[in-house]
Amino acid sequence: MLIILLLVVFMIGTFFGFMFIKNTIAHWLVGGISFLLLAGSVAMLTMHIRDNWGMKEVTTSTTHQIYTAGDKSAPYGMMIKAEIGKNTDNYVFVYRNNEKSEKADTNFKPDEKHIAEAVKKSATYKLVDDTKATVTTKTTRRVWSSDFYKLLFSVGGEQNELVKQNSVVSVPKDTWLVLTQDQVKKLSQEAPAMKKQMEAQLKADPQKANPTEYAKMQVKQIKQLLGISE
């Protein structure tokens, strides 16, 4: 950190100028300039520590498709949610990141070993009028504004420091379900009876055999069964 070295140099210059130089002009010139430079260096260091002066925030965004956490042969998609805390709108989600994965992935679970960074991350969801489920993650990191500021203040570890990270899962409102673990258990208990009911409906109305319409029908009925109004 060059600023520390400069503080030491200006401090010595101030002390030497005021204490040892007898010539009045040189006394005030060396001591006064060194003192002003010392004060300016202290002010810059203070602004860097307090306001991250010399750094800027850069935000990047990534989006990728996600896949059902449930039975891959089911016509509808499913995502399992678990809220972190109460009324936080911050969740852990279970879904597949790869269509070919046998097991679903647990996503956005806080890393308890790095809690200071974990609190900067959040994840939520929204229901959208679309056919595919996606997750968009916006990440803001702090970087040096220039090489000069990096040379002046850097002590290591500040470059690319995480400021915040927010992920939003966009879920098709008509063909996907967003369920809690308790709702998943209830659904599994009611699945046999629902299957028979849907098979009967398909016989009565063959047009519902269309995959998209069939998925919408199942999602609608499951929501009614579980008391989901969204």
Side-chain angles (χ1 to χ4, degrees):
M1 185 186 283
L2 180 59
I3 191 69
I4 298 299
L5 178 60
L6 293 176
L7 285 172
V8 173
V9 171
F10 297 146
M11 191 180 299
I12 293 173
T14 301
F15 179 77
F16 180 81
F18 285 137
M19 298 300 295
F20 294 101
I21 297 178
K22 302 304 180 181
N23 182 280
T24 304
I25 296 177
H27 171 87
W28 286 104
L29 188 64
V30 174
I33 292 176
S34 295
F35 177 77
L36 291 175
L37 291 173
L38 176 62
S41 298
V42 171
M44 288 191 296
L45 180 59
T46 301
M47 288 189 292
H48 174 68
I49 294 173
R50 185 187 63 192
D51 304 319
N52 296 294
W53 187 66
M55 305 193 78
K56 61 182 179 180
E57 294 182 358
V58 176
T59 300
T60 58
S61 180
T62 60
T63 300
H64 70 269
Q65 186 174 350
I66 63 171
Y67 305 90
T68 182
D71 186 350
K72 291 193 286 185
S73 64
Y76 57 87
M78 179 192 298
M79 182 174 73
I80 304 171
K81 65 179 179 179
E83 191 169 18
I84 301 173
K86 186 176 181 181
N87 298 322
T88 62
D89 198 30
N90 186 22
Y91 298 87
V92 174
F93 294 119
V94 178
Y95 53 75
R96 287 180 175 87
N97 286 293
N98 190 309
E99 188 176 14
K100 296 181 180 179
S101 298
E102 289 300 319
K103 294 183 179 180
D105 306 298
T106 300
N107 302 274
F108 312 116
K109 183 178 180 180
D111 185 354
E112 296 180 356
K113 294 182 179 179
H114 302 90
I115 196 66
E117 188 164 293
V119 297
K120 299 177 183 179
K121 300 179 179 181
S122 64
T124 188
Y125 74 98
K126 62 180 180 180
L127 301 179
V128 297
D129 188 12
D130 205 341
T131 58
K132 295 180 180 179
T134 60
V135 56
T136 298
T137 298
K138 291 184 178 181
T139 304
T140 301
R141 295 186 179 276
R142 193 173 285 120
V143 299
W144 293 108
S145 299
S146 69
D147 290 338
F148 169 75
Y149 289 115
K150 181 179 180 181
L151 176 65
L152 196 61
F153 298 116
S154 178
V155 292
E158 292 176 285
Q159 178 77 342
N160 291 321
E161 178 187 359
L162 180 65
V163 177
K164 60 182 177 180
Q165 184 179 85
N166 178 250
S167 299
V168 179
V169 183
S170 298
V171 183
K173 62 181 182 180
D174 295 324
T175 56
W176 271 62
L177 293 164
V178 182
L179 306 179
T180 64
Q181 193 62 52
D182 288 341
Q183 290 171 328
V184 171
K185 290 180 181 179
K186 182 176 180 180
L187 176 60
S188 63
Q189 294 171 352
E190 300 290 341
M194 286 192 63
K195 184 177 180 181
K196 290 182 180 179
Q197 181 182 1
M198 291 178 184
E199 288 175 348
Q201 289 178 333
L202 283 176
K203 290 181 180 179
D205 187 359
Q207 290 183 349
K208 289 183 179 179
N210 176 284
T212 301
E213 293 303 316
Y214 185 40
K216 289 181 179 180
M217 180 185 72
Q218 285 194 309
V219 167
K220 184 177 180 180
Q221 291 186 343
I222 292 172
K223 285 183 176 180
Q224 289 176 346
L225 172 68
L226 299 176
I228 299 174
S229 58
E230 60 182 18

